[in-house]
Amino acid sequence: MQVSDRKISVTNSTLSTLIEELGTECQNVITLIHQLQLPDLSDRQKAEILAEFLPLCNPSQRSLRRGLSDASC
């Protein structure tokens, strides 16, 4: 999958920051998926790569949730 950096014209600074952070998180996920697709990974290596997904999936650890109320999650 090819991902390109394309700037979105947004005048709201908070929304602009959230979009930028979302792009970074998406790139992190793509990188981890590519790592999982490498041949001959040991079970330990797979587990370590999968463990990297946990902070990406845990709302309390994502900066995208920063400043948003719990009701919006």
Side-chain angles (χ1 to χ4, degrees):
M1 175 182 198
Q2 190 72 7
V3 177
S4 62
D5 283 336
R6 186 175 74 189
K7 293 291 180 187
I8 299 174
S9 179
V10 178
T11 57
N12 182 297
S13 63
T14 301
L15 181 56
S16 179
T17 299
L18 290 173
I19 291 170
E20 184 177 318
E21 290 179 1
L22 178 59
T24 299
E25 295 302 327
C26 289
Q27 281 300 128
N28 291 340
V29 169
I30 291 168
T31 299
L32 292 171
I33 289 170
H34 287 155
Q35 289 176 5
L36 282 172
Q37 293 172 334
L38 293 173
D40 303 321
L41 289 175
S42 69
D43 287 342
R44 180 184 176 100
Q45 289 171 310
K46 290 175 190 174
E48 289 174 357
I49 294 167
L50 289 171
E52 292 291 320
F53 277 103
L54 294 177
L56 301 175
C57 298
N58 186 341
S60 67
Q61 295 182 13
R62 290 180 58 196
S63 61
L64 288 175
R65 300 285 186 188
R66 184 180 45 220
L68 300 177
S69 69
D70 290 336
S72 67
C73 296

